[in-house]
Amino acid sequence: MQDVFVYQGLRTPFGKIGGALSGQRPDDLAELVISALVEQAPGLNPENAGEIVGEVIFGNANGAGEENRNVARMAWLLAKLPVTVPATTINRLCGSSLDAAISGARQIALGETDVILAGGVESMSRAPWVLPKTERPFPMANLELANSTLGWRLINERMPEEWTVSLGEATEQLREKHGIGRERQDEFAARSHELAARAWNEGRFADLIVSVPGVDLQTDETIRAGATTEKLAGLRTVFRSENGTVTAGNASPMNDGASAVWLGSAAGGEQLGLAPQVRIAGWAAAANEPQYFGYAPVEASNKALKRAGIGWGDVGAVELNEAFAAQSLACLDAWDIDPEILNAWGGAIAIGHPLGASGTRVLATLAKRMELSGERWGVATLCIGVGQGIAVVLENATTQN
């Protein structure tokens, strides 16, 4: 089994739904991060890429719109790179691009290839309304469109109702189960905005960002530098009119964006001309009841740590995708770790959560954090709708024994 390393990651700034990136097709956003990563690999060029890159693997959660014909393959071709490189697209909802990275890591570990380009993309702005086909021709009744942007749609009537509640209602149930109040959620959300704004101001994301041509978007569009617990406390609850705590302020927004990373063996890094940031030391997925999806990163991370041969006491940096403040806090409490090591550059509540792009966003962010801080061990993890979680354990390539 070969060691697998993360060599470099890039992403677009994340735009808000209907915002600065809403005019950009998802396949164009994916092409942009692919082209930028190829340009930044000294050993790679459009002529030799077909010999070096084993496969392109992208995550995408919707797949019902302009990205519908295997967006990984579409984006590689749009980049005018060799047609001989195969590509595939994975859908594990919010964990899609981290799953793409895991799939690439498996290929490298098994010696099937030395270089994989893994990433993800989502345009929630451009997710289409879908009209299901009728069972009989020429129906006389009215037909209803379904919004493919987020959550359940076209639900199978055999699915238990408690499993198909909205993501927000599921989070309300989770925070009731774990005793997490509104004030604590708002405090967590305010911290996310504060840390994300600070990270941008300090240039922490400079090496991780590729600008979108023709778009005036200098930072992630949903960061609110002046967000405070007091301001967030004034927002109305969204999913419950009584006894609700989840608001637009303590939940991740809907976004557009793309991200990707170079993965490779030691030999693959030499071919790319890049130095490794981190070694992928373990990975895992886990599942529980669909309505408690927000808690699934707990077991996924525990399993990944066990496979890496370490425990939480060894971990110095964590990137958890903040789908909701309540579920993030539930995971944080279960791990019993220092809150300061979690999302030190802000999280998805501020940065945004374009579903298919979030996995390699947290992976690349964690790798960069560890490279700069020198922390030896880190965990990147996400909750996933319909009751799943996914996690990857990283070891700093410069401090490993």
Side-chain angles (χ1 to χ4, degrees):
M1 299 284 282
Q2 299 190 100
D3 281 338
V4 184
F5 300 93
V6 177
Y7 284 94
Q8 188 173 358
L10 284 175
R11 68 175 178 92
T12 67
F14 287 171
K16 67 181 180 182
I17 192 167
L21 297 185
S22 60
Q24 308 295 311
R25 288 177 57 111
D27 49 355
D28 286 334
L29 292 173
E31 180 273 322
L32 176 64
V33 292
I34 287 174
S35 294
L37 278 175
V38 170
E39 289 174 6
Q40 293 186 19
L44 202 61
N45 58 61
E47 286 70 42
N48 68 8
E51 301 170 5
I52 294 176
V53 181
E55 187 160 10
V56 180
I57 310 175
F58 258 60
N60 179 255
N62 279 323
E66 294 157 331
E67 73 280 68
N68 72 86
R69 293 287 287 172
N70 185 0
V71 70
R73 177 65 172 168
M74 291 157 59
W76 182 261
L77 295 177
L78 287 168
K80 297 182 173 59
L81 293 163
V83 299
T84 53
V85 176
T88 189
T89 299
I90 288 175
N91 183 356
R92 203 195 282 258
L93 300 179
C94 305
S96 295
S97 56
L98 195 62
D99 206 8
I102 290 171
S103 295
R106 286 194 186 102
Q107 291 190 33
I108 295 166
L110 291 171
E112 296 176 2
T113 184
D114 285 304
V115 175
I116 292 284
L117 198 162
V121 65
E122 206 78 51
S123 176
M124 300 181 80
S125 293
R126 299 173 76 93
W129 296 85
V130 295
L131 184 67
K133 286 187 176 181
T134 59
E135 296 179 5
R136 297 170 55 189
F138 313 115
M140 296 304 294
N142 293 328
L143 300 177
E144 183 177 350
L145 290 168
N147 187 350
S148 68
T149 304
L150 181 69
W152 292 91
R153 83 274 327 219
L154 307 178
I155 301 172
N156 191 317
E157 63 182 16
R158 295 172 52 229
M159 194 70 71
E161 289 185 7
E162 64 269 23
W163 289 357
T164 63
V165 296
S166 71
L167 299 172
E169 170 57 28
T171 301
E172 292 282 14
Q173 294 181 23
L174 181 66
R175 64 91 187 164
E176 286 179 327
K177 184 176 182 180
H178 292 276
I180 298 169
R182 168 73 183 270
E183 183 177 2
R184 193 173 172 214
Q185 293 175 55
D186 289 342
E187 288 174 351
F188 183 87
R191 173 187 182 269
S192 184
H193 284 284
E194 178 187 357
L195 293 178
R198 183 188 304 168
W200 272 102
N201 291 336
E202 293 177 350
R204 302 290 186 185
F205 295 121
D207 294 339
L208 294 172
I209 298 296
V210 55
S211 298
V212 180
V215 174
D216 184 17
L217 184 61
Q218 304 305 315
T219 64
D220 299 307
E221 198 170 10
T222 48
I223 295 174
R224 298 292 175 260
T228 64
T229 303
E230 293 72 25
K231 289 180 180 178
L232 293 174
L235 298 178
R236 65 178 182 85
T237 58
V238 177
F239 301 98
R240 289 184 181 180
S241 57
E242 296 183 5
N243 301 318
T245 64
V246 179
T247 72
N250 56 37
S252 61
M254 292 185 281
N255 300 85
D256 309 326
S259 64
V261 296
W262 280 123
L263 304 177
S265 63
E270 293 177 2
Q271 293 175 302
L272 291 170
L274 296 170
Q277 293 178 304
V278 291
R279 180 180 71 90
I280 296 180
W283 57 75
N288 56 19
E289 299 93 332
Q291 69 271 35
Y292 298 133
F293 73 94
Y295 199 68
V298 172
E299 183 59 22
S301 299
N302 291 344
K303 288 170 65 176
L305 286 167
K306 184 176 181 180
R307 290 173 181 175
I310 63 169
W312 279 111
D314 301 300
V315 175
V318 179
E319 285 289 324
L320 165 66
N321 191 56
E322 299 167 356
F324 296 87
Q327 63 83 205
S328 300
L329 289 164
C331 294
L332 182 64
D333 292 347
W335 293 323
D336 192 25
I337 58 174
D338 181 355
E340 294 304 310
I341 73 171
L342 179 76
N343 299 352
W345 296 353
I349 288 173
I351 292 168
H353 181 22
L355 308 176
S358 289
T360 38
R361 195 277 295 176
V362 300
L363 181 66
T365 301
L366 181 62
K368 192 64 179 179
R369 277 182 59 192
M370 294 170 65
E371 182 182 44
L372 293 176
S373 70
E375 295 291 350
R376 181 174 178 184
W377 297 101
V379 175
T381 184
L382 301 91
C383 65
I384 302 167
V386 202
Q388 295 192 80
I390 193 166
V392 167
V393 175
L394 301 180
E395 182 182 17
N396 197 317
T398 60
T399 60
Q400 59 178 305
N401 293 334

